[in-house]
């Protein structure tokens, strides 16, 4: 993915502070309508595992993740450029600005400054700043890193790994018909619904009813 210069379980929020993160996913949201500024912009979400932090979901211990949404631009004032340069610990060269492949950040560690923000009566956890890790510090790579690119059908199989709230953002992309991703999502949802139906049928078949009726 090239960038050019133009569950039901309740999870406790991360406490404010500095954490070590490692990039595990780059999710392209496609071309999104910016209603505030009347623009159409390509957006993406970067997902990090927070090293040493886990959450329990449906009795399963999973890595804690946090994400941040960006406009896909390396323009001089872009947030993505600012965060990437702080992450790298050096500015981009003129040559690099002609096309930087975001996949280069997968499995690359950084430091994340986390804060909390109150909005409309709710508390949100945000990434306030990104920094390079200290010299000499090493972080073990993780498995199952992935990219989802609305323009690269070889990455569409990773749609299944994406959180539902992010899928809803992708469904609003203006380039779904252009890329035929809309057809893929339609087939995906139909197949998932069919699989869930079969699973429900199998569960019901496992329940044996006594010949003389239910023992109420």
């Amino acid at each position: 993915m090239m960038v050019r210069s133009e569950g039901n379980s309740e999870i406790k929020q991360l406490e404010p502070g500095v954490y070590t993160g490692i990039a595990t996913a780059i999710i392209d949201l496609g071309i999104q309508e910016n209603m505030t500024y009347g623009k159409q912009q390509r957006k993406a979400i970067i997902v990090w595992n927070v090293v040493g932090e886990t959450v329990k979901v449906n009795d399963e211990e999973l890595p804690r993740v946090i994400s941040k949404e960006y406009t896909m631009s390396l323009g001089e004032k872009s947030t993505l450029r600012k965060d990437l340069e702080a992450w790298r610990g050096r500015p981009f060269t003129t040559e690099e600005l002609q096309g930087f492949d975001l996949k280069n950040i997968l499995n690359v560690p950084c430091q994340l400054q986390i804060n909390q923000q109150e909005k409309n009566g709710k508390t949100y956890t945000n990434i306030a700043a990104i920094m390079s890790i200290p010299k000499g510090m090493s972080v073990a790579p993780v498995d199952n890193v992935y990219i989802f690119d609305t323009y690269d059908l070889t990455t569409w199989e990773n749609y299944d790994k994406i959180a539902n709230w992010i899928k809803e953002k992708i469904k609003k992309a203006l380039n779904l018909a252009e890329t035929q991703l809309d057809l893929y999502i339609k087939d995906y949802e139909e197949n998932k619904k069919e699989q869930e139906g079969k699973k429900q049928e199998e569960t019901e078949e496992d329940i044996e009813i006594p010949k003389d009726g239910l023992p109420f």
Side-chain angles (χ1 to χ4, degrees):
M1 189 185 302
M2 303 296 289
V3 194
R4 301 188 183 278
S5 43
E6 271 316 270
N8 294 330
S9 300
E10 186 172 339
I11 299 173
K12 184 179 178 181
Q13 292 183 325
L14 278 174
E15 294 293 328
V18 178
Y19 296 82
T20 300
I22 186 164
T24 55
I26 303 164
I27 303 170
D28 178 22
L29 301 179
I31 308 298
Q32 298 283 327
E33 187 79 44
N34 187 326
M35 303 301 292
T36 303
Y37 298 102
K39 295 181 179 180
Q40 295 180 0
Q41 300 169 309
R42 192 176 180 189
K43 300 281 188 175
I45 287 178
I46 298 176
V47 181
W48 291 265
N49 279 15
V50 183
V51 177
E53 299 285 334
T54 60
V55 293
K56 184 170 285 188
V57 179
N58 298 326
D59 296 324
E60 183 180 2
E61 201 79 19
L62 300 173
R64 162 85 69 165
V65 299
I66 193 166
S67 61
K68 186 172 180 178
E69 182 175 324
Y70 295 94
T71 298
M72 292 281 285
S73 168
L74 290 181
E76 187 175 352
K77 296 182 180 180
S78 79
T79 301
L80 179 59
R81 177 172 173 175
K82 174 178 71 71
D83 282 355
L84 288 176
E85 289 185 335
W87 189 344
R88 289 152 46 102
R90 60 184 176 86
F92 283 102
T93 65
T94 302
E95 291 75 18
E96 288 172 328
L97 287 173
Q98 299 309 307
F100 177 78
D101 197 334
L102 267 183
K103 72 180 182 182
N104 292 331
I105 70 173
L106 287 176
N107 250 329
V108 177
C110 62
Q111 289 186 299
L112 302 171
Q113 173 70 55
I114 305 298
N115 67 8
Q116 291 182 349
Q117 182 180 23
E118 297 282 343
K119 187 177 181 180
N120 299 326
K122 294 183 179 180
T123 302
Y124 296 89
T125 301
N126 298 315
I127 298 175
I130 297 176
M131 301 154 281
S132 58
I133 62 172
K135 285 187 176 182
M137 180 180 176
S138 62
V139 179
V142 297
D143 296 326
N144 301 320
V145 298
Y146 69 92
I147 290 177
F148 176 82
D149 186 336
T150 60
Y151 287 98
D152 184 355
L153 59 84
T154 65
T155 70
W156 291 0
E157 63 182 5
N158 292 324
Y159 186 77
D160 188 55
K161 301 175 183 178
I162 298 173
N164 289 332
W165 67 272
I166 300 179
K167 287 177 181 174
E168 292 305 312
K169 285 178 174 282
I170 293 171
K171 291 177 188 177
K172 296 177 183 178
L174 303 179
N175 61 321
L176 293 187
E178 172 193 347
T179 60
Q180 297 190 330
L181 179 57
D182 56 342
L183 301 179
Y184 179 90
I185 292 175
K186 181 181 178 181
D187 288 343
Y188 169 86
E189 292 182 340
E190 289 176 351
N191 290 335
K192 189 171 183 179
K193 187 175 181 180
E194 182 180 345
Q195 291 171 5
E196 289 173 350
K198 289 181 180 179
K199 187 175 181 180
Q200 179 64 29
E201 289 177 1
E202 291 172 356
T203 301
E204 291 173 352
E205 289 174 357
D206 289 341
I207 302 174
E208 294 185 7
I209 301 178
K211 292 180 180 180
D212 54 352
L214 293 171
F216 288 146

